[in-house]
Amino acid sequence: QVQLVESGGGLVQPGESLRLSCVASGTIFSINAMGWYRRAPGQQRELVATYTEAEYPTYADSVKGRFTISRDDARNTAYLQMNNLRPEDTAVYYCTMDISVDHVLGYAPYWGQGTQVTVSS
């Protein structure tokens, strides 16, 4: 059983920073892509950033230059550093990882439960 747990969300003022973490635990053979999505109230889920093993990180246009995704494969952890936060960044942020649980099976997507980020003065 694989579980993803996010942390680091909270309430901040515009211009401030937050760092989200996502730790995968359980039976893990390999992790390919790691990513962050968000869902604002009344809106659809949108991609924020992704980071695969073989490619450079990619970002939504709305967060380029402000957010940075990183990964620590030794710790099965993904991070999202969010700087210069804006009210429009308010959303529930979800972590996702493509994980293989053994050397035979392929990768399957797993999701965390989400962490709330609120940016308000």
Side-chain angles (χ1 to χ4, degrees):
Q1 192 79 5
V2 175
Q3 187 175 21
L4 272 60
V5 178
E6 300 107 332
S7 61
L11 171 64
V12 296
Q13 294 188 346
E16 294 185 337
S17 299
L18 281 174
R19 188 193 195 203
L20 305 183
S21 300
C22 174
V23 181
S25 62
T27 304
I28 298 171
F29 177 73
S30 177
I31 300 176
N32 187 5
M34 296 184 181
W36 291 90
Y37 285 73
R38 66 186 181 187
R39 176 175 285 162
Q43 297 186 20
Q44 292 187 335
R45 185 178 64 190
E46 66 170 345
L47 174 66
V48 176
T50 61
Y51 196 170
T52 65
E53 283 187 311
E55 299 176 359
Y56 290 108
T58 59
Y59 299 92
D61 288 342
S62 59
V63 306
K64 282 181 181 177
R66 300 187 298 121
F67 291 11
T68 302
I69 186 173
S70 59
R71 55 191 288 166
D72 183 340
D73 291 309
R75 293 180 169 81
N76 295 333
T77 301
Y79 302 98
L80 186 68
Q81 178 67 43
M82 305 185 294
N83 298 328
N84 191 22
L85 282 160
R86 304 168 180 169
E88 54 263 39
D89 295 318
T90 295
V92 177
Y93 284 71
Y94 298 91
C95 169
T96 181
M97 297 186 188
D98 290 342
I99 296 174
S100 174
V101 298
D102 63 33
H103 69 287
V104 175
L105 296 175
Y107 293 97
Y110 292 84
W111 291 84
Q113 81 289 348
T115 185
Q116 177 70 46
V117 172
T118 303
V119 185
S120 175
S121 55

